[in-house]
Structures are given as structure tokens and as C-alpha cells.
Amino acid sequence: MNHLNFSGGPGVLPATVLAETQQAIECVPEVGLSILGISHRSDWFAGVVDEAERNIRQLLQLPESHAVLFLQGGATLQFSMIPMLLLRHRRQTADYLRTGYWSAKAIPEARLEGDVRVLWDGEPWGFRRLPRPDELAYSDTAAYLHYVSNETVEGIQFHAIPGLDRVTRVCDMSSDFLSRPFDPERFDLIYAHAQKNIGPAGVTVVILRRDLLHRAPDGLPTLLDYRTHLNAHSIYNTPPVFAIYVVLLVTRWLLNDIGGLDRMDAINRQKAASLYEVIDDSDGFYDGWAAREDRSLMNVVFRLPTADLEAAFLHQATDQGFSGLKGHRSLGGIRASIYNAMTPEAVDSLCRFMWEFADANHSTGEF
């Protein structure tokens, strides 16, 4: 049985991309070698990097004021590289929004480099909601504002851009990058590891305003200096050739098969609406975790009335071919991750299973 991958990550890839990847592992036709054995110094791979960047620029309508880099180390390394660039040796404070599991992870790393203020902390609300505008007292003098656009663990997502445009804005878009359109000029630095919407693990896309690099302090380690990778066109050391190639294939799919980010956003909204409709119409059998106005279009998180029912739900779901629905270890419950490549048909299948499971347990009196 082929299972449907509803995991929080690595996420599902488009079927056409998987087919192209399978072919490339055997042999890239224009090269005559497996993608796993092609030199990162080859002209062919330089062309892969160039096209992947062009595609991202086209999808986002990204201006030349911003550079595109393909780095390693995941989002976790960016937790350190960003404050090294923007906070080290500065008499400023960086503002962070602590809205869930991943944004909380970034804060201790930043504090190794300088002063950090947690501008808002969602822990008292169980990380079930995001801050309202009147709860945020922004500082004009902050070194930068950092936030996570979509918290995968709790299933909450910003649907408006927080912060002051005159203050450097940094965003971790790891789990919703290229899932919807946005204005890239309002961001100074964006980072996104690939294994949700744009490819396999191993590569992290960083988009940064070029003039940020004028603020780089002396003494940065070579590999942790964005200028190193910009000057080397993302091929300073051996990059993850395979992962970057798959990112290229995914960007082609978004452009040519989907038709751009407006269309991708419409598809993602349809999928999320279908799942949230089941939750909302289940008479409390399914309890959505996030506040309705902050619900994620990428990660639908919910609980069942008892731990036994959750265990039964997961067991039966696995038997029927739904994989990866167990909630994050820090939260528990159920999580259906519906990244770009998860098809509406697969989501509809999950919705039918959820209705059948709820009806069966209502009728048996277990709920």
C-alpha cells in the first residue's frame, strides 16, 4: 500500500517531481550521470543553481535588491547566523515573537550574540493564538524583528505581516514558503529549509536584502558569513547537489503545472477549509487547537476527546494508508500537514475517514 504523507516534515513531493527525481537518480539525460554523482563544480550544476534562483525570483516577483542563497544547516543554523550578522557587537536589542515551538528555539541562539527582548510570548495561552496588533509595542530602535510565519507544531499562522517597515524584518518561512504570495520587499531576510514545501532536507533557501551585508561585523567564520556564499553563488563548499536539483524541479512545477503562487494559495485554502469544516461540524468530537482567526493553512492540529480515541484514530488511519498524523511530541494530539504537494483528493480522503471515525464512535457511545 502506498501511504499518503501527512507528516509535519519531510513533506510530500509532487508526483511529477518524484518521477523526474527517480529518473535523475538513474541518469540525468543531458549529463549521462546520476544526479548523486555530478560534480558541484560542473557547468551543468551552476545552471541548476541559476535556474532555481530565477524561478524563485519569478514566483515572488523578487527585486534585484534581494539576493537568493542556497545554504546548509537547516533553519536551525539560521537561528545563529542571523544574530551573528545583525546583533553581534551592537548596542541594540533584537525583538522576537515567541509564538510556538520553533520561534522559541531561535531565542537562546540569538541571546548568545546580544540583547534580546521577547516582544510577545504565547505560552500563557498555550500557543493557541497569535498576538493582536494592540498587544505589540514595537521599538523603532530594535536591531531587527524576528518571527515565524507558520508554527508547524501548534498549527498557527500569521495572515498579516507584523512589525514596522522601518525596522529590519526577519522571518522564518520554513513551513509556508512558496505556499502563497507575499510582498518580498517588506522583508529584509527570509529563510526556509526545504523539507516542507520546496524539496527534500539538506538545503535552506535564504533571501536577504543585499545592503544588510554592510552591517556584517568583523571576525565572522568564513562559512557563517553570508558574503562568502553570495560571492560564490552558493557553491563555496560542496553544496547538497541533489536537494538543490529537486528544489529546481519543484519551482518548475509551481510555475508550469500549478501556474504560480496565487493558484497555489487557492488550492491550499481549499484543502484547509475542507479539514476545518470536518472539525467545526463534528459537534466537539474533533477539537481544533488554534484560534480560528490564526489557523494554519499548512498544519491542521486537533485533539480527540480521549487518549484512547486518539490512539485508535491513529491506528485505523495508518491501516487505511494515512501516514504521519501523530502530533508533535511536544504537544500530542493529531496533526495533518497539507503542504503544497498534498493533493485535494488526498485531503478529501482524509476528511471521509474522519467523518467515518467520528460517526462510528458517536454511535457506539464512546463519545
Side-chain angles (χ1 to χ4, degrees):
M1 176 191 297
N2 289 326
H3 284 229
L4 297 170
N5 180 14
F6 286 91
S7 166
V12 63
L13 288 170
T16 56
V17 170
L18 284 175
E20 292 173 287
T21 301
Q22 184 177 19
Q23 169 63 52
I25 289 174
E26 290 290 330
C27 178
V28 176
E30 61 266 36
V31 180
L33 293 171
S34 166
I35 185 65
L36 302 179
I38 295 177
S39 171
H40 63 288
R41 298 298 178 190
S42 64
D43 290 341
W44 177 84
F45 181 65
V48 167
V49 173
D50 286 344
E51 185 187 343
E53 176 180 340
R54 287 197 307 273
N55 290 352
I56 289 171
R57 288 188 177 280
Q58 183 177 346
L59 286 163
L60 295 178
Q61 297 298 295
L62 186 68
E64 283 300 319
S65 57
H66 289 65
V68 179
L69 302 175
F70 300 97
L71 305 184
Q72 299 177 62
T76 302
L77 185 57
Q78 294 305 306
F79 296 166
S80 298
M81 285 183 70
I82 289 162
M84 283 181 178
L85 172 69
L86 300 176
L87 193 57
R88 179 178 284 191
H89 305 322
R90 293 187 174 274
R91 296 180 179 177
Q92 289 177 286
T93 298
D95 284 347
Y96 276 68
L97 300 182
R98 187 172 183 263
T99 53
Y101 181 88
W102 287 110
S103 54
K105 289 277 191 180
I107 293 168
E109 303 303 315
R111 284 182 167 146
L112 295 175
E113 300 296 333
D115 291 333
V116 170
R117 178 177 68 139
V118 177
L119 185 60
W120 189 84
D121 190 344
E123 187 168 9
W125 292 273
F127 297 121
R128 286 176 175 259
R129 72 173 182 90
L130 294 171
R132 307 294 169 248
D134 61 1
E135 295 177 300
L136 296 172
Y138 298 115
S139 169
D140 286 338
T141 61
Y144 60 92
L145 171 72
H146 177 281
Y147 77 102
V148 174
S149 56
N150 181 74
E151 293 278 8
T152 59
V153 173
E154 297 84 5
I156 53 178
Q157 183 178 32
F158 280 92
H159 299 295
I161 298 172
L164 305 173
D165 286 344
R166 58 185 176 273
V167 172
T168 299
R169 182 183 283 112
V170 176
C171 186
D172 178 351
M173 291 190 184
S174 290
S175 53
D176 61 0
F177 185 61
L178 300 188
S179 72
R180 59 182 178 175
F182 63 90
D183 181 0
E185 293 195 70
R186 295 190 64 191
F187 295 86
D188 298 278
L189 195 152
I190 295 165
Y191 61 102
H193 59 59
Q195 64 265 26
K196 309 294 188 185
N197 282 305
I198 57 174
V203 61
T204 300
V205 176
V206 173
I207 296 173
L208 79 164
R209 194 180 297 275
R210 296 176 194 271
D211 59 17
L212 283 187
L213 300 177
H214 300 316
R215 295 162 58 175
D218 295 333
L220 289 176
T222 302
L223 200 60
L224 303 183
D225 189 332
Y226 293 108
R227 295 170 296 185
T228 300
H229 303 284
L230 181 61
N231 293 336
H233 304 289
S234 298
I235 315 178
Y236 173 73
N237 63 327
T238 305
V241 172
F242 172 76
I244 294 173
Y245 178 68
V246 179
V247 170
L248 167 63
L249 297 180
V250 171
T251 59
R252 286 177 179 171
W253 172 77
L254 282 167
L255 284 167
N256 302 325
D257 294 13
I258 297 299
L261 297 189
D262 285 323
R263 179 58 185 152
M264 190 74 259
D265 182 43
I267 294 169
N268 286 332
R269 289 179 182 278
Q270 173 196 343
K271 294 184 297 187
S274 296
L275 280 169
Y276 288 123
E277 182 179 13
V278 176
I279 292 169
D280 293 341
D281 292 349
S282 68
D283 294 327
F285 185 80
Y286 298 115
D287 179 23
W289 181 262
R292 292 196 182 200
E293 61 269 28
D294 300 322
R295 284 173 163 175
S296 171
L297 302 180
M298 298 285 99
N299 310 96
V300 178
V301 178
F302 56 95
R303 305 300 300 260
L304 275 73
T306 68
D308 286 345
L309 279 172
E310 287 183 354
F313 179 96
L314 291 169
H315 178 76
Q316 293 181 33
T318 301
D319 284 348
Q320 294 199 28
F322 302 106
S323 179
L325 287 169
K326 186 175 182 179
H328 190 271
R329 61 187 179 277
S330 68
L331 187 64
I334 313 295
R335 174 176 58 173
S337 296
I338 50 174
Y339 301 123
N340 282 355
M342 179 59 67
T343 66
E345 294 77 17
V347 172
D348 289 343
S349 294
L350 177 59
C351 289
R352 286 193 294 273
F353 166 74
M354 290 173 65
W355 278 125
E356 290 167 2
F357 186 86
D359 288 344
N361 285 281
H362 273 293
S363 63
T364 60
E366 293 184 25
F367 170 66

